[in-house]
Amino acid sequence: MIPVRGHEGQKLAVLGLGRSGLATARSLVAGGAEPVCWDDNASARDKAEAEGFTIRDLTRPGAFDDIASLIVSPGIPHLYPEPNRVIRAAYEAGVPVDNDIGLFFRSLAVAEWDDFDTAPRVVAVTGSNGKSTTSALIHHILEQAGREAQLAGNIGRGVLDIDPPGDGGVVVLELSSYQTDLARALTPDVAVFTNLSPDHLDRHAGMGGYFAAKRRLFAEGGPDRAVIGVDEVEGLYLANQLSEGPGDDRVIRVSAARKLSGPGWDVFARKGFLAEWRKGKQVAAIDLRPMQGLPGAHNHQNACAAYAACRTLGLAPRVIETGLASYPGLPHRSQTIAEAHGVRYVNDSKATNVDSAAKALAAFDKIRWICGGLEKEGGLDGLRASLGSVVKAYVIGREAAGFALQLPEVETEVCTTMESAVASAMRDAQPGEVVLLAPAAASFDQYDNFEKRGEDFAARVRAGLQG
């Protein structure tokens, strides 16, 4: 673990006792601080108490009288739609509020690094869609190249739960807007912005607040290198803000929508080919089309971002190409479950919003589309341009009928349950078609999370093929 530094002998409150909260409490103890813990869930409190941590009801008056700082888990609102009552009490008591990401960046570097030949580096990835795949892809490429690498943050292990990196080690962090919004320290060596589309708008009071939370990763600490997806205006703006001029190669612009040109450092994908250009000259090209773990333009954007980040870490293009080719894909993200009788079955349960579902639909032809769930704000209008490849939609969720009514352009079948949707899609599918789960909705009306939904889809497919 990473011992938390700078709080020796102090009491710090920890709010939220899930994975990150417990890891934070352990790291505080390892660094000589005393955590006092609280969670509204009694079973979470019992688990922390069984581990030896002090439990204190932080909702009571005077709870912060001897507290130096409050460390908050990422799922707890700290501003919009309104602050959690414990966080508000900390504000009113003048107690600084932080999260495990802020503690991580302040605690990572140690004196032993002076004896390393190469100091460890941190690559932090944020954005609306693709940040998990991009993070995992960077980590995979580094490991395939024989580099020490750890994956943490919003994916993999909690940031304080990882091992201290060794000589030349790389820590790859996936960071959500919840994590970047509150962290009091954000100092990655390389920062990556994939893209921006509407999501979590209630938590950030609109798109402006959402983008501002992402932008903090680049504005607070000033990374040595910034990899910026410029296919949306927010990315263009961010790249412009960070660059000192057209030839400033501290900023690497990335696109999966068009060829980029100019005297700077660009990585883009067109018609399935990744190209790296620097100072007006092409440096490398990679054919992404045969790479089954990276289907579609959205994954080609992820590949470009991962490629650019790995280039900043000194990897050669052919070494990166080998890593890209061997990447197996992440569960629930354009994950091929099976291929049988000429039909491919793809699990993209992580496509929980309209933009990510549209990108999944654009990756395949002749789609039997399983969709539906807890609809997000804004409706399905953003999917209209992506429905041309859909042969038929099979709609799940408690409000399946209402969801189906918003898809007049395609044939729909109201299935409600995953079991029914998979059975109908498998019955109808013809050779050359893809049965795709890309819900364009949250899972909470029927499942605990998108992972459970994807697992159910995969289990139904496998059962159907065996039967």
Side-chain angles (χ1 to χ4, degrees):
M1 72 175 67
I2 306 294
V4 171
R5 304 181 190 281
H7 293 286
E8 294 81 358
Q10 296 180 338
K11 286 185 180 179
L12 275 74
V14 178
L15 178 62
L17 299 174
R19 182 190 67 166
S20 67
L22 287 175
T24 296
R26 297 181 193 114
S27 295
L28 286 168
V29 171
E34 180 183 347
V36 294
C37 304
W38 182 251
D39 192 300
D40 289 338
N41 186 292
S43 62
R45 297 197 299 269
D46 291 344
K47 183 177 179 180
E49 193 168 28
E51 203 169 320
F53 296 121
T54 300
I55 302 299
R56 178 188 294 185
D57 186 349
L58 297 175
T59 67
R60 292 182 177 178
F64 287 97
D65 287 351
D66 59 348
I67 297 298
S69 185
L70 172 65
I71 311 303
V72 179
S73 293
I76 302 173
H78 62 272
L79 185 57
Y80 301 114
E82 61 179 331
N84 176 277
R85 58 179 177 164
V86 171
I87 297 175
R88 187 181 183 95
Y91 292 160
E92 292 176 349
V95 172
V97 179
D98 202 352
N99 61 16
D100 60 337
I101 305 301
L103 294 179
F104 168 84
F105 277 112
R106 288 205 303 272
S107 304
L108 184 63
V110 293
E112 288 82 356
W113 286 19
D114 292 338
D115 298 325
F116 289 169
D117 290 332
T118 304
R121 304 185 76 186
V122 177
V123 179
V125 182
T126 195
S128 295
N129 298 307
K131 58 184 179 293
S132 294
T133 295
T134 300
S135 301
L137 191 51
I138 294 168
H139 178 254
H140 174 80
I141 293 167
L142 288 167
E143 287 202 319
Q144 293 297 300
R147 297 279 294 272
E148 178 198 316
Q150 298 181 79
L151 182 63
N154 203 45
I155 186 175
R157 300 160 70 182
V159 292
L160 294 171
D161 194 39
I162 67 171
D163 300 322
D167 195 336
V170 181
V171 178
V172 184
L173 302 182
E174 180 200 335
L175 298 181
S176 72
S177 59
Y178 295 177
Q179 293 169 311
T180 58
D181 199 18
L182 190 59
R184 296 171 73 92
L186 287 167
T187 54
D189 299 283
V190 181
V192 180
F193 176 84
T194 58
N195 51 56
L196 197 78
S197 61
D199 207 0
H200 309 304
L201 299 189
D202 59 334
R203 180 69 179 265
H204 298 291
M207 280 293 286
Y210 180 46
F211 177 53
K214 301 286 189 185
R215 184 178 178 275
R216 290 191 75 244
L217 181 62
F218 302 84
E220 292 300 309
D224 296 334
R225 297 277 189 185
V227 177
I228 309 293
V230 295
D231 287 339
E232 293 86 27
V233 66
E234 292 88 356
L236 282 170
Y237 166 80
L238 183 58
N240 183 273
Q241 287 277 298
L242 296 171
S243 174
E244 294 297 328
D248 186 352
D249 66 2
R250 295 173 304 164
V251 178
I252 307 176
R253 292 168 174 82
V254 165
S255 175
R258 66 189 189 279
K259 178 180 178 180
L260 301 176
S261 60
W265 196 351
D266 302 319
V267 179
F268 58 89
R270 292 185 70 203
K271 298 180 179 179
F273 286 87
L274 179 154
E276 177 189 2
W277 284 66
R278 197 167 184 179
K279 297 180 180 179
K281 296 181 180 180
Q282 183 168 333
V283 176
I286 297 173
D287 186 356
L288 301 173
R289 295 173 300 173
M291 300 180 184
Q292 193 174 80
L294 296 166
H298 63 303
N299 275 309
H300 293 173
Q301 183 188 53
N302 299 334
C304 287
Y307 175 96
C310 290
R311 289 289 280 142
T312 71
L313 298 172
L315 271 63
R318 292 297 166 238
V319 172
I320 300 173
E321 181 177 8
T322 299
L324 291 172
S326 62
Y327 178 66
L330 279 176
H332 317 297
R333 297 164 177 86
S334 296
Q335 177 192 19
T336 297
I337 296 299
E339 291 189 64
H341 313 297
V343 179
R344 183 175 174 183
Y345 297 88
V346 178
N347 168 22
D348 203 333
S349 185
K350 185 61 170 66
T352 58
N353 58 40
V354 164
D355 185 70
S356 56
K359 289 175 178 176
L361 291 171
F364 306 101
D365 298 318
K366 299 180 182 178
I367 298 170
R368 302 279 174 179
W369 178 34
I370 297 177
C371 58
L374 189 62
E375 188 179 332
K376 293 191 174 181
E377 185 179 344
L380 304 181
D381 287 346
L383 280 171
R384 300 273 181 252
S386 304
L387 299 177
S389 58
V390 176
V391 178
K392 184 178 178 180
Y394 305 81
V395 189
I396 63 173
R398 293 179 186 172
E399 303 299 328
F403 198 99
L405 286 173
Q406 297 184 65
L407 302 170
E409 298 91 342
V410 299
E411 180 185 355
T412 59
E413 180 178 331
V414 176
C415 299
T416 307
T417 67
M418 184 69 73
E419 180 180 17
S420 175
V422 170
S424 294
M426 294 184 78
R427 176 199 66 212
D428 296 343
Q430 302 296 312
E433 294 182 342
V434 173
V435 174
L436 171 68
L437 171 66
S443 59
F444 304 122
D445 58 334
Q446 293 182 309
Y447 301 92
D448 290 340
N449 48 53
F450 73 83
E451 291 97 339
K452 294 294 184 185
R453 178 172 59 190
E455 290 165 6
D456 191 21
F457 169 76
R460 303 288 181 187
V461 168
R462 291 175 180 132
L465 293 174
Q466 290 172 357

